[in-house]
Amino acid sequence: KEMNLWAPTDKGVTKIRELQNNKGEWIFRFKNIETKNRNDYNTTDILETKNGEIYVYQNYVRPKYGEVPKADFFLGKIIDDTIIEISSPFSGELQKMPYQLYFLREDNEGQIWMEGHFASSVEKLSSVPTEIKIYNGNEWIDPLARWNVPKEQLNFVGELYNGAYYLTASSFYNFNGSEFIDLSDSTDEFADFRILKGASV
């Protein structure tokens, strides 16, 4: 919103600002964003919320293998050009899994959803169920039992006025704020959702 560019790297986040000097030339100014606890930290993704808060995180946690470097969990919020690190909201048992995949998004209510996949091998990462934590502005909470979150891997499609949409290996769901509804055999006046049944994710 402030016309800055943000570059996530395996050595941290760099803030890039475009400035015009007294000769009328456009130049870039780079600034590394530091944390209080680490010199280097892995980041791959950035989320800017509707109210201008900026979160950075590592979406793929893994051990070193071959030429691929090790990447640890990292989640932080940028405040005054410093990153305040945020601990993982997931259980210690899940955090011990060597392969982890994360997605961070803001919903229509301004809450932050962190969706995590946890596996013992990289091959299993694409089929494990999705774990969800939601930051409501004060704390991380679990989805309510009445939401009936599918016990399979959810792939976020997008969000409309009537909620979020997800594909799984065999179904198409809408989360309307109260529960997950399977639309795989549904039609309405605008769409025939049956076309998505069995869609490849």
Side-chain angles (χ1 to χ4, degrees), residues 122-173:
V122 69
E123 293 80 14
K124 293 179 180 177
L125 201 53
S126 62
S127 60
V128 292
T130 299
E131 304 285 341
I132 298 173
K133 292 288 186 178
I134 301 157
Y135 185 68
N136 61 13
N138 296 311
E139 62 181 340
W140 291 98
I141 61 171
D142 292 316
L144 302 177
R146 62 180 169 80
W147 288 2
N148 293 318
V149 178
K151 294 184 176 9
E152 51 190 321
Q153 188 159 116
L154 299 170
N155 298 273
F156 178 69
V157 175
E159 190 155 16
L160 299 174
Y161 68 92
N162 62 347
Y165 289 85
Y166 290 89
L167 274 171
T168 69
S170 60
S171 300
F172 182 53
Y173 289 93

Side-chain angles (χ1 to χ4, degrees), residues 189-201:
E189 62 181 312
F190 301 111
D192 184 342
F193 298 113
R194 292 174 299 184
I195 197 171
L196 289 163
K197 190 168 187 177
S200 171
V201 295

Side-chain angles (χ1 to χ4, degrees), residues 176-189:
N176 62 11
S178 299
E179 63 178 323
F180 279 80
I181 299 171
D182 189 346
L183 300 176
S184 302
D185 291 315
S186 302
T187 63
D188 65 19
E189 62 181 312

Side-chain angles (χ1 to χ4, degrees), residues 22-89:
N22 55 11
K23 296 179 182 177
E25 300 168 329
W26 288 98
I27 58 174
F28 290 106
R29 178 172 291 169
F30 296 85
K31 180 176 183 180
N32 293 331
I33 307 300
E34 298 178 351
T35 69
K36 293 182 178 177
N37 302 327
R38 317 187 198 193
N39 292 327
D40 290 339
Y41 56 95
N42 289 317
T43 57
T44 53
D45 291 78
I46 297 178
L47 170 70
E48 182 172 11
T49 65
K50 298 179 191 81
N51 65 7
E53 295 178 328
I54 298 176
Y55 292 87
V56 299
Y57 64 103
Q58 170 62 249
N59 78 329
Y60 180 31
V61 173
R62 76 270 172 176
K64 175 178 171 52
Y65 58 96
E67 297 298 316
V68 178
K70 180 178 188 287
D72 296 319
F73 176 86
F74 186 84
L75 172 63
K77 181 178 178 180
I78 297 177
I79 300 175
D80 297 328
D81 285 351
T82 302
I83 293 184
I84 305 302
E85 198 167 343
I86 300 169
S87 299
S88 174

